[in-house]
Amino acid sequence: MSMIRDLRAAVRPRPSLRSKDSGSYDTTRDPGTPSAVVDCAVYRDGARVETREPLTPHEAMRQVHRDGGFVWIGLHEPTEAEFAGIAREFGLHPLAVEDAVQAHQRPKLERYDDSLFTVFKTIHYVEHDQLTATSEVVETGEVMCFTGRDFFITVRHGGQGSLRALRHRLQDDPELLAKGPSAVLHAIADHVVDGYIAVADAVQDDIDEVETEVFSPGRKGTPRGTDAGQIYQLKREVLEFKRAVSPLLRPMQLLSERPMRLIDPDIQKYFRDVADHLARVQEQVLGFDELLNSILQANLAQASVAQNEDMRKITSWAAIIAVPTMVCGVYGMNFKYMPELHARYGYPVVMGITVGLCLSIHRILKRNGWL
C-alpha cells in the first residue's frame, strides 16, 4: 500500500509540469488527496518499460514517440481539470471526454478520427445472508476506454472493477500484449463479461431460493408464498443487470465483425468469443426477468387464494353459528303460549337438535373443503 501511495504521489499532476500552451495537468483536488492517475506505463514488444521514477502521461508519450510501443494510463474518477491535460495530450474528442468525466453512461462504442471510445458497465455481486425487500444484490461501476494507435486510457468509476490484477496478467503474457492497445481493450472486455457470468450464476441462486420459498408447502400442504417485496427488489436488481448487459452486445458484435483500423486482425477474432459469452449472459438475464414475472404473479395468486380460503372458513363458521343464534332468537321472544316451553324434555330436545344441525353443517362444509 505504501508503494501505491508513493506512486500516486509521484504522478500527481502539478501546474508546474507543463506550460499552459502545451496542456496543463492542473488539479482541483486537495493537495492531500491521491492523484486520479492510478498507473502510467510504456509497453514495448509486449513488456513493460521499467523506469526509476513513475512517469507522467507527457513523459510516457514522449518515450513512445521516441522509441515506439504504446502507453497505458489508468485513472480513477478524475475531475474535469485533472483530465483536461491528458485529453489535450492525446487529442481526445471533447464529447468522449465529457462522458468519461461525468460517468453514468450507457454501454457503447464510438469511433472518432484517431481513437475508439468504449464504455463498459461493471457488475459486482453484493453478498447477503438473506434476501429482503431492501437488499442490494448487484453493484454497478463503469470503465471507459480510449483506444488509440499508440495509447490506451482507462477511466474507472465506482469502488469495484479494479484493473490492477488484469494489468499484471497481461504483463505475464508478452505475446498478447505485443499486439498493442487493441489487446488491452479485448482483455478488459473479456474481464467485464466474465464478471457478468459470475454475477449471473449468483443471481440464479437467489432466484432459485425465492422460487423454492414461494412454492414450498405451508400448512396442510398448500404453498405458503413469500413477501412480494423481496421478489420486486430482486426484479429491480435484475433490471439493473440487464441495463449493463443488453446495450453492450452491439458494440461487441461490431468489434468482432467489422474491420477497424485500430483493432489488430488477430485480436478481432477473440472479440467473437467475448460477444458469444455476452449473448449467453443476455439470454440468462432476459430469462431471469421473465421467471421473476412468473414468480411474482404466482405469489400474488397464492395471496389471493389464501384470502379466499380465510373468507370461506369465516363464512362456514358463520353458517354454523347461525343455527343456535336462530334457536336462541326464537326462544328469546316473550310470547306466553309457546308449546315447547312447558314440555318436560323440551330443553334437551331443542339443544340436541341444535347440536345435531351444527354438526351436520360442519360435516358438509368439511367434506366440501371449506373447513
Side-chain angles (χ1 to χ4, degrees):
M1 293 299 293
S2 61
M3 181 181 67
I4 297 299
R5 285 195 295 268
D6 294 340
L7 173 63
R8 290 184 173 180
V11 299
R12 172 179 299 282
R14 295 185 298 272
S16 59
L17 286 177
R18 303 190 66 195
S19 64
K20 184 174 181 181
D21 295 338
S22 59
S24 172
Y25 292 110
D26 193 10
T27 175
T28 58
R29 297 195 179 198
D30 184 87
T33 305
S35 169
V37 179
V38 177
D39 201 352
C40 177
V42 174
Y43 295 87
R44 190 177 302 119
D45 298 325
R48 178 168 179 154
V49 178
E50 299 297 336
T51 58
R52 292 184 178 181
E53 298 292 335
L55 297 173
T56 66
H58 175 61
E59 293 168 345
M61 201 60 192
R62 189 166 54 186
Q63 280 195 20
V64 169
H65 289 160
R66 183 180 66 244
D67 303 322
F70 73 95
V71 58
W72 180 0
I73 303 173
L75 301 99
H76 181 245
E77 297 183 353
T79 64
E80 185 177 351
E82 285 176 314
F83 200 48
I86 295 176
R88 285 191 292 270
E89 176 73 42
F90 295 94
L92 305 181
H93 196 279
L95 293 177
V97 171
E98 182 181 0
D99 289 345
V101 172
Q102 293 183 355
H104 304 294
Q105 303 298 318
R106 189 173 183 266
K108 59 183 177 180
L109 170 66
E110 294 181 345
R111 289 175 291 181
Y112 296 100
D113 294 337
D114 298 318
S115 65
L116 292 176
F117 178 61
T118 315
V119 178
F120 298 96
K121 283 276 190 182
T122 58
I123 298 292
H124 171 70
Y125 180 77
V126 180
E127 296 290 343
H128 47 268
D129 296 330
Q130 185 178 5
L131 184 66
T132 66
T134 58
S135 294
E136 186 179 14
V137 179
V138 295
E139 185 179 31
T140 62
E142 291 178 64
V143 176
M144 286 84 162
C145 303
F146 294 88
T147 307
R149 182 179 57 83
D150 51 10
F151 67 86
F152 189 83
I153 302 172
T154 57
V155 180
R156 186 167 58 88
H157 291 268
Q160 305 296 332
S162 174
L163 301 176
R164 183 178 294 110
L166 175 65
R167 185 187 286 258
H168 291 163
R169 286 201 303 270
L170 279 174
Q171 291 173 174
D172 293 336
D173 190 355
E175 183 178 353
L176 179 62
L177 197 55
K179 298 294 183 179
S182 59
V184 183
L185 178 61
H186 163 264
I188 291 178
D190 188 55
H191 174 71
V192 170
V193 173
D194 284 346
Y196 292 167
I197 295 174
V199 172
D201 292 339
V203 172
Q204 178 70 68
D205 293 338
D206 281 338
I207 294 177
D208 291 342
E209 181 180 345
V210 169
E211 186 177 21
T212 301
E213 186 176 351
V214 168
F215 293 102
S216 60
R219 294 178 301 174
K220 300 181 181 180
T222 59
R224 64 184 181 183
T226 188
D227 181 14
Q230 298 179 20
I231 306 174
Y232 187 72
Q233 175 66 14
L234 187 55
K235 183 173 173 59
R236 291 188 62 183
E237 297 296 305
V238 168
L239 180 61
E240 188 73 18
F241 194 3
K242 182 179 177 182
R243 288 172 179 167
V245 174
S246 296
L248 187 59
L249 187 59
R250 181 56 180 166
M252 290 299 101
Q253 290 174 343
L254 289 174
L255 288 171
S256 63
E257 297 171 358
R258 183 174 299 179
M260 296 185 184
R261 181 164 47 88
L262 297 173
I263 303 298
D264 189 285
D266 293 335
I267 296 298
Q268 190 170 34
K269 301 174 185 177
Y270 291 94
F271 278 108
R272 298 172 188 169
D273 185 61
V274 177
D276 179 63
H277 290 171
L278 185 63
R280 282 189 287 167
V281 173
Q282 185 192 34
E283 291 176 359
Q284 276 187 283
V285 175
L286 293 177
F288 292 162
D289 194 33
E290 294 178 1
L291 181 58
L292 285 171
N293 282 335
S294 300
I295 293 175
L296 183 59
Q297 292 175 3
N299 189 69
L300 295 176
Q302 288 179 2
S304 178
V305 169
Q307 290 177 351
N308 291 337
E309 288 285 341
D310 294 338
M311 290 302 299
R312 287 199 299 179
K313 291 178 181 179
I314 293 172
T315 303
S316 299
W317 285 111
I320 294 173
I321 296 174
V323 174
T325 301
M326 181 188 67
V327 173
C328 293
V330 171
Y331 282 92
M333 294 186 292
N334 294 323
F335 294 107
K336 183 176 181 180
Y337 299 102
M338 294 183 68
E340 298 86 352
L341 292 178
H342 302 288
R344 179 180 292 274
Y345 301 104
Y347 176 76
V349 170
V350 171
M351 292 301 297
I353 293 173
T354 302
V355 173
L357 288 173
C358 290
L359 292 176
S360 298
I361 295 173
H362 183 275
R363 183 177 180 182
I364 293 171
L365 295 173
K366 184 82 171 178
R367 185 172 58 190
N368 292 334
W370 283 54
L371 287 175

